[in-house]
Amino acid sequence: AQSVTQLGSHVSVSEGALVLLRCNYSSSVPPYLFWYVQYPNQGLQLLLKYTSAATLVKGINGFEAEFKKSETSFHLTKPSAHMSDAAEYFCAVSDDSGGSNYKLTFGKGTLLTVNP
Amino acid sequence: DAGVIQSPRHEVTEMGQEVTLRCKPISGHDYLFWYRQTMMRGLELLIYFNNNVPIDDSGMPEDRFSAKMPNASFSTLKIQPSEPRDSAVYFCASSLAGWGFQPQHFGDGTRLSIL
């Protein structure tokens, strides 16, 4: 069964600083990987997705993530944090292994705070 | 286009009462998912439907939970009887077919408190 580990339940950065949110996954087959963002009192919104087309994936709001198979990682980055980036971020994985290929497994989430 | 619509947004009720959560997926979407989010367990998939048919309900915690999708534009999640440990935020999500490449679109959730 696949699993997702997000290192750091809380990350704090200064406005304008680099954002790095870590995600490691385990999957028995090549996975599909996703990053979602959740703002307070809202549902999850898709930031970006990896579907094996390219290892560097660009998403909305200036975020991007790099798939590294050798490290089983899919870390999310943004060069310069903005106050509006403050939210909770979730990494998710699925695989295409028969009966479970419609399930997403989510990480526990990383709360990003941006300090002025 | 309208997104996934959930109602009510907040529900407070007493232990033992029946709770019904409602979801209207995005028009044309083939899949509908129900999730539960808690601090302790994170985001858990409870059940999902394809073309109104339940496909996998292995995440439903107990027989007290049931879900239906009578048509393509409506689904319910019921808890009967409710217990304090059911307190959580419940999300509905929908997606197009071709799931591996199609993102799930989430509603804003129902915050459920069982007293």
Side-chain angles (χ1 to χ4, degrees):
Chain A
Q2 60 270 42
S3 65
V4 176
T5 301
Q6 291 185 240
L7 295 176
S9 59
H10 187 196
V11 170
S12 182
V13 300
S14 298
E15 191 173 19
L18 171 72
V19 175
L20 171 60
L21 305 182
R22 299 178 186 272
C23 173
N24 288 88
Y25 69 92
S26 67
S27 176
S28 57
V29 296
Y32 301 122
L33 293 158
F34 305 82
W35 275 99
Y36 281 84
V37 60
Q38 184 179 28
Y39 298 101
N41 299 315
Q42 294 185 24
L44 281 70
Q45 301 173 33
L46 182 70
L47 268 181
L48 49 83
K49 62 182 179 182
Y50 167 76
T51 58
S52 76
T55 57
L56 184 63
V57 182
K58 294 188 183 298
I60 62 172
N61 301 337
F63 284 92
E64 62 182 35
E66 186 173 8
F67 172 69
K68 292 187 176 180
K69 184 178 179 180
S70 61
E71 299 177 8
T72 61
S73 68
F74 191 58
H75 302 331
L76 181 70
T77 60
K78 182 174 180 177
S80 176
H82 191 273
M83 297 295 290
S84 61
D85 295 327
E88 190 154 22
Y89 292 79
F90 293 89
C91 182
V93 65
S94 71
D95 61 36
D96 194 18
S97 57
S100 66
N101 63 337
Y102 294 100
K103 290 183 178 180
L104 277 178
T105 300
F106 284 87
K108 294 290 189 185
T110 298
L111 182 64
L112 175 67
T113 58
V114 182
N115 304 307
Chain B
D1 288 341
V4 175
I5 300 172
Q6 291 187 247
S7 63
R9 289 297 313 276
H10 303 273
E11 175 87 12
V12 180
T13 191
E14 293 189 348
M15 176 179 174
Q17 297 298 306
E18 178 179 290
V19 172
T20 299
L21 311 181
R22 296 173 176 80
C23 175
K24 177 179 171 57
I26 294 173
S27 178
H29 279 195
D30 307 278
Y31 288 88
L32 184 138
F33 306 81
W34 281 101
Y35 290 88
R36 178 173 67 177
Q37 185 179 38
T38 62
M39 289 293 291
M40 290 296 295
R41 302 174 67 90
L43 200 61
E44 306 171 278
L45 177 66
L46 301 177
I47 185 171
Y48 77 91
F49 296 82
N50 178 26
N51 293 327
N52 313 338
V53 176
I55 302 301
D56 187 340
D57 65 354
S58 60
M60 297 285 262
E62 301 172 31
D63 291 345
R64 298 184 296 106
F65 286 70
S66 64
K68 294 182 180 179
M69 192 165 185
N71 57 62
S73 59
F74 184 66
S75 177
T76 60
L77 178 67
K78 285 189 178 181
I79 309 173
Q80 168 62 21
S82 59
E83 297 183 4
R85 59 195 168 115
D86 302 330
S87 297
V89 181
Y90 291 81
F91 289 102
C92 177
S94 68
S95 73
L96 291 166
W99 182 88
F101 300 92
Q102 301 298 330
Q104 295 180 20
H105 298 261
F106 283 74
D108 286 338
T110 295
R111 185 173 297 274
L112 178 64
S113 297
I114 308 296
L115 306 177

